[in-house]
Amino acid sequence: MATLIAPEHTSAVEDAEKLQKACKGWGTDEKAIISVLGHRNAVQRKQIRLAYEDLYQEDLIKRLESELSGDFEKAVYRWILDPADRDAVLANVAIKKLSPDHHVIVEISCTRSPEELLAVRRAYQARYKHSLEEDVAAHTKGDTRKLLVALVSAFRYDGEEINTRVANSEAKILHEAVKDKEFNHEEIIRILSTRSKMQLMATFNRYRDDHGTTITKNLEGDSGDEFLKTLRPTIRCLNDPKKYFEKVLRNSIRRVGTDEDALTRVIVTRAEKDLKDVKELYYKRNSVPLDQAVAKDTTGDYKALLLTLLGKED
C-alpha cells in the first residue's frame, strides 16, 4: 500500500503555472512546490514536466535544481523523475562512488519487477550511453562482479507457479555451500539470479524448515567480506523486501548523523508502492511511528517533503 496522497483529477497546466510562480522573482516558495509535487503520482508528475516545457520552453527539472539546494533539492530531483529514470540515476551514483554502494544495485535489481528492471536498463542506456551491466562490471571485481552483473541482467519469471521439488533440491544446494562456507559458489549465484521470487521464497522457507534457521542468519560472517556484504541484502531483498526497507530506514535514522541518501531513496522509491506496509513494520519493530522518527531527524523543507510523501495531510 502506498502512502502518497494524490487527487485523481488534476490539471497539469495549472500545476505547471503554480510551480513557475513558486520559482519566480526573489526567493522560492518551497511550500508551494511541496503542495503540488508532494501530492502527484508518477504519471501526473510527467504531465506537469511536459506542460511546463510547453508553457515556458524551459526544463522544469533544471529550473528546480537551480532554485533549490541541499537535501531538499536532492529529494525533489529524485521524486520528480520517472521511476525508471530515477533508478538509473540512483544506480549510476551508487556505482561511481569511491567505494561503490553495492546494496543500492542489489535493491534495484531484486525489489523491482522484471518489467521495471528492464525499463531501468533502457533508461540507463538512454541517459549514460553505456549499459548498466557494463558499468556494474567496470566498477566491481571477482565474485561480487559475477553476482551483481547476473542480478542486473536478470529477467525472471514473474508468476505464482512454483516447483516444490526444485525448492527442496536447491535448499539442499544452498545449505551445503553455506555449511562449507563456499558463499561464492557458482550455484548460489545461479539460483539467486535466475529463479522467480516465488520460487526463491519456497526455497528459503524449505531451508528454514529443514535447518531451523534462516539462510541470512547462517550468512553472518566476516563483516569485511565484500561478497558476503552483497549476498546478504540480495537474499533479504528477494525474500522480504518490506522487511529489508524497514531495516534500511532504521539504520539511516539510528546512526550518528542521519544517512539522508538512504532515507530519501527509500521514501521516494516506495511512496507509490508499499511504504504504508513498511511504516507498519517500522512501528512494530521500533515502537515509534516512522513519521515521528523522520520529523525528529530532519529539518525544514526537506522534512516537510518527506512527511508529505509519508502521507501526512497538509
Side-chain angles (χ1 to χ4, degrees), residues 37 48 64 94 116 130 132 145 175 181 192 205 219 254 256 259 289 297 308:
L37 293 178
I48 294 169
L64 290 170
E116 284 168 345
H130 293 219
L132 176 56
R145 174 193 285 168
H175 184 252
K181 297 223 178 303
L192 295 181
N205 288 341
L219 290 174
R254 267 171 47 176
V256 181
D259 180 353
D297 258 43
T308 300

Side-chain angles (χ1 to χ4, degrees), residues 156 161-175 187-188 190-192 194-211 213-216 235 238-239:
R156 304 170 192 273
E161 297 290 318
I162 59 163
N163 183 321
T164 312
R165 198 171 44 77
V166 168
N168 295 347
S169 73
E170 292 190 342
K172 276 199 188 83
I173 292 170
L174 290 176
H175 184 252
E187 283 292 87
I188 290 189
R190 175 189 67 79
I191 292 166
L192 295 181
T194 62
R195 295 297 184 202
S196 77
K197 290 176 188 176
M198 294 303 284
Q199 184 65 45
L200 285 167
M201 282 159 96
T203 300
F204 298 146
N205 288 341
R206 181 81 249 178
Y207 186 106
R208 190 194 58 219
D209 294 347
D210 286 350
H211 306 291
T213 183
T214 62
I215 183 167
T216 40
I235 292 170
L238 290 165
N239 192 34

Side-chain angles (χ1 to χ4, degrees), residues 3-5 39 275 279 291 306-313:
T3 51
L4 177 70
I5 300 166
H39 293 289
L275 194 52
K279 271 172 76 171
D291 313 51
L306 293 190
L307 292 178
T308 300
L309 297 182
L310 280 164
K312 180 178 175 282
E313 298 281 3

